Amino acid sequence: MRYHDDRPIQICALSHGWCGRSAVETWIYIIVERNFLLPYVNRLKYASTILNGGEGAMKANHRAGALAASMVSVLLVAGLTGCSGGSDTSRSSSDQSGTTVIKFGINVANPEKQEPATYAIVQAFNEANEGKYKVEFQAADTESHSKNLKLHASDGTLPEVFWVDGAQVQEFADSGVLLDLNDYLKQNPDIAKALDGAQDAFKGSDGVQFGLPYQSNVQGFFYNKELFDKAGISYPTDATTFDDFMNMVSALKASGVTPVSIGSKNSSFAMWEFNLWLTRSGWSENIDSILTGSSKFASSDIAGAFDKLQKLRDAGAFPDNISTLEYFDAKQQFDDGKAAMFGSGQWDCAEFDKSLGDKVGFWWGPKFTDSKYSQDVDMKVPSAPIAVSASVNDDAKAKEATFAFLNFYYSKDAAKLSYENSMFPATSYEGLAPASDKFAMNAMTAALANGYKSPAAAPDLTVPPAVQSELYDALFGVMQKTYTPAEALEKLDRAVENSK
């Protein structure tokens, strides 16, 4: 592994309670082959930051830096005694047949069941490259996966390719542990063309391409046509206003069903249908000034989205037990025909094909006639990125295998596999569309035919992790009557201030 000035170092790590599922004790021993200490001080500062909470811990970096400086001599001595004969830190590994094996870190515990499109792509790649390359999943649920990545980043053991939360990826990029993929895209112009600008969501202000979109996320409201028919109301359309939506909620509630099923228990991230509310209330136009401190959430037009959320809550749109429902519980209510609408994305299409069949519809959400911002906006956005460990640059075999996998992952063949598994790929290729029995995905495709534009990224992926967490809490706090809109916005403004 090499940092700065191409000076080689060896990092060995010994940990207990590995994978971040419990408290972790990690000792990092460093052997410096040349007298060049500053990079390792910075490395220790980053380890301290990510192991102690990421963005929030950045404010304590000067303390971590002082601590790191005082520890370097101790660590060097410990490294000489504790790492002699240590494990090889090179990236590539091979199985008994000589196949180059790389790891794909993914945020689900069971990729075959929970990410069937990605699983199918990996299996197809492995079959096509048998004896040459092989991709193995490094799988864990989202929370564990995110903790694992922080630990791996701190000791140089990141998987070659990995999914990373969009709100955290900049933190990893700033630390220097991600490979700049600009050269990869230049070497593969057909893939750059197929991504059609989606890659720009993961390019830093310094021009570094620190990731590529994992998939395309299409977010909004699924609805049960049969329940709308029983309530005697028309299906929502692109022309449906917020006032129309409120009338729908009233009619659906009177018919005996929950208008909008949603749950917040262990599911604060499950607010996808409201990303478009934020966008249609001026998120893209206001968020930069808010994050720099020149304006506030509370005084911005974004506040209008929270006011409308309160009106929806007061109309009884949500389940009474929203705070004790998890995402999967709320989805089950929709599956069972007890709720008329459910906010989600294309990842649930296959399930709704089975539970609702041709009775499923898809809608972006209401238009706000009191907003001065464009309402002709959809929410088809790049999902959280996949990134590549910078260390593959130091291993020719690992780099070759990693780039070969990326070539396949963003190919037309892989895009076809995505459609077959009810998932919108990150790429755009002509002649690909969901099959006729993919009812939910076809409903989404029909909604996308309106020609509306989408933002470069979903609002919740455009803020630092601490602000993202507070955004989720603010939205659900209003839905649960925990906060008034004013209180929720005040908490958001405090989170922005504390994140600086």
Side-chain angles (χ1 to χ4, degrees):
M1 190 175 299
R2 295 172 185 270
Y3 299 95
H4 306 273
D5 257 3
D6 199 37
R7 296 175 185 266
I9 65 172
Q10 179 182 9
I11 299 177
C12 301
L14 178 64
S15 62
H16 302 285
W18 184 244
C19 292
R21 294 183 178 87
S22 62
V24 179
E25 181 182 10
T26 304
W27 299 91
I28 304 176
Y29 303 104
I30 303 174
I31 299 175
V32 182
E33 294 182 10
R34 298 177 187 173
N35 185 24
F36 190 71
L37 301 181
L38 182 58
Y40 316 120
V41 174
N42 290 335
R43 194 72 176 164
L44 285 169
K45 286 169 65 179
Y46 178 66
S48 173
T49 296
I50 62 176
L51 287 172
N52 289 283
E55 186 73 22
M58 292 294 284
K59 298 189 71 174
N61 249 5
H62 65 285
R63 295 192 298 271
L67 176 63
S70 66
M71 288 177 63
V72 166
S73 59
V74 175
L75 287 172
L76 290 178
V77 173
L80 289 170
T81 58
C83 275
S84 57
S87 61
D88 182 9
T89 61
S90 64
R91 295 300 306 170
S92 66
S93 63
S94 301
D95 61 17
Q96 292 181 345
S97 68
T99 301
T100 300
V101 180
I102 61 172
K103 301 291 186 181
F104 185 170
I106 193 167
N107 66 319
V108 294
N110 189 331
E112 183 175 7
K113 291 185 177 180
Q114 295 173 281
E115 286 288 342
T118 303
Y119 181 83
I121 290 170
V122 167
Q123 298 311 304
F125 173 80
N126 288 343
E127 290 174 9
N129 293 279
E130 186 174 0
K132 189 175 184 180
Y133 311 125
K134 184 179 181 181
V135 174
E136 292 182 350
F137 284 113
Q138 194 173 82
D141 63 84
T142 299
E143 183 178 356
S144 298
H145 173 76
S146 294
K147 290 179 180 178
N148 295 348
L149 289 183
K150 291 179 179 181
L151 290 168
H152 294 322
S154 73
D155 67 6
T157 61
L158 282 167
E160 286 79 6
V161 182
F162 54 95
W163 179 99
V164 58
D165 187 278
Q168 295 179 325
V169 67
Q170 188 64 56
E171 181 183 320
F172 285 91
D174 290 344
S175 75
V177 299
L178 304 184
L179 183 67
D180 183 353
L181 295 171
N182 273 310
D183 286 344
Y184 168 76
L185 291 176
K186 289 177 183 177
Q187 295 165 14
N188 297 277
D190 53 333
I191 289 175
K193 180 180 178 181
L195 287 169
D196 194 27
Q199 65 269 35
D200 294 341
F202 308 114
K203 178 174 283 191
S205 58
D206 55 0
V208 173
Q209 187 72 51
F210 49 76
L212 298 174
Y214 174 54
Q215 295 162 342
S216 289
N217 273 355
V218 181
Q219 306 171 0
F221 291 89
F222 287 100
Y223 62 90
N224 186 326
K225 296 178 182 178
E226 192 169 50
L227 296 185
F228 272 72
D229 292 342
K230 288 181 179 179
I233 54 178
S234 301
Y235 307 145
T237 69
D238 283 340
T240 300
T241 66
F242 181 72
D243 289 339
D244 296 331
F245 186 34
M246 292 293 287
N247 291 333
M248 286 180 182
V249 166
S250 179
L252 289 165
K253 191 169 180 64
S255 73
V257 299
T258 299
V260 180
S261 187
I262 189 169
S264 65
K265 183 180 179 182
N266 302 323
S267 308
S268 62
F269 52 84
M271 45 63 70
W272 303 287
E273 64 269 43
F274 299 113
N275 268 321
L276 190 57
W277 287 43
L278 297 170
T279 300
R280 288 179 172 175
S281 300
W283 181 278
S284 300
E285 293 82 358
N286 290 277
I287 191 59
D288 287 344
S289 63
I290 290 173
L291 293 179
T292 57
S294 59
S295 63
K296 300 285 188 182
F297 274 108
S299 58
S300 74
D301 294 326
I302 297 171
F306 288 81
D307 292 334
K308 292 179 176 66
L309 201 58
Q310 183 183 48
K311 291 179 181 178
L312 200 61
R313 176 201 74 190
D314 292 343
F318 308 124
D320 292 334
N321 59 338
I322 179 175
S323 63
T324 60
L325 283 179
E326 296 196 12
Y327 163 72
F328 296 103
D329 301 324
K331 182 166 61 173
Q332 192 63 51
Q333 287 189 353
F334 183 67
D335 281 330
D336 293 343
K338 297 177 180 179
M341 287 178 277
F342 180 70
S344 185
Q346 80 286 346
W347 53 88
D348 281 327
C349 282
E351 180 170 341
F352 296 154
D353 286 342
K354 294 178 181 178
S355 61
L356 276 77
D358 62 0
K359 302 299 182 183
V360 68
F362 180 80
W363 175 53
W364 297 114
K367 288 185 173 178
F368 304 144
T369 56
D370 60 344
S371 173
K372 67 182 181 183
Y373 303 97
S374 175
Q375 301 298 292
D376 294 345
V377 188
D378 291 343
M379 191 55 62
K380 182 184 179 183
V381 291
S383 71
I386 54 175
V388 175
S389 171
S391 61
V392 304
N393 235 6
D394 301 321
D395 189 307
K397 289 184 177 180
K399 185 175 183 178
E400 180 183 298
T402 299
F403 281 14
F405 175 63
L406 292 179
N407 287 346
F408 185 77
Y409 188 85
Y410 293 109
S411 69
K412 189 172 183 177
D413 287 342
K416 184 178 179 181
L417 288 170
S418 289
Y419 276 107
E420 290 175 358
N421 286 275
S422 298
M423 193 65 64
F424 286 96
T427 52
S428 297
Y429 288 103
E430 293 184 2
L432 294 182
S436 60
D437 62 346
K438 305 293 184 184
F439 302 108
M441 201 171 186
N442 274 301
M444 284 185 156
T445 302
L448 286 164
N450 60 16
Y452 291 178
K453 293 183 178 181
S454 292
D460 66 321
L461 298 184
T462 62
V463 292
V467 179
Q468 182 195 60
S469 177
E470 199 61 59
L471 173 63
Y472 296 157
D473 182 63
L475 290 168
F476 277 103
V478 171
M479 283 187 266
Q480 296 172 185
K481 299 185 180 181
T482 305
Y483 310 133
T484 65
E487 290 169 339
L489 293 162
E490 182 182 352
K491 287 173 64 65
L492 270 171
D493 284 325
R494 285 202 300 268
V496 171
E497 182 62 31
N498 292 336
S499 70
K500 294 177 183 176

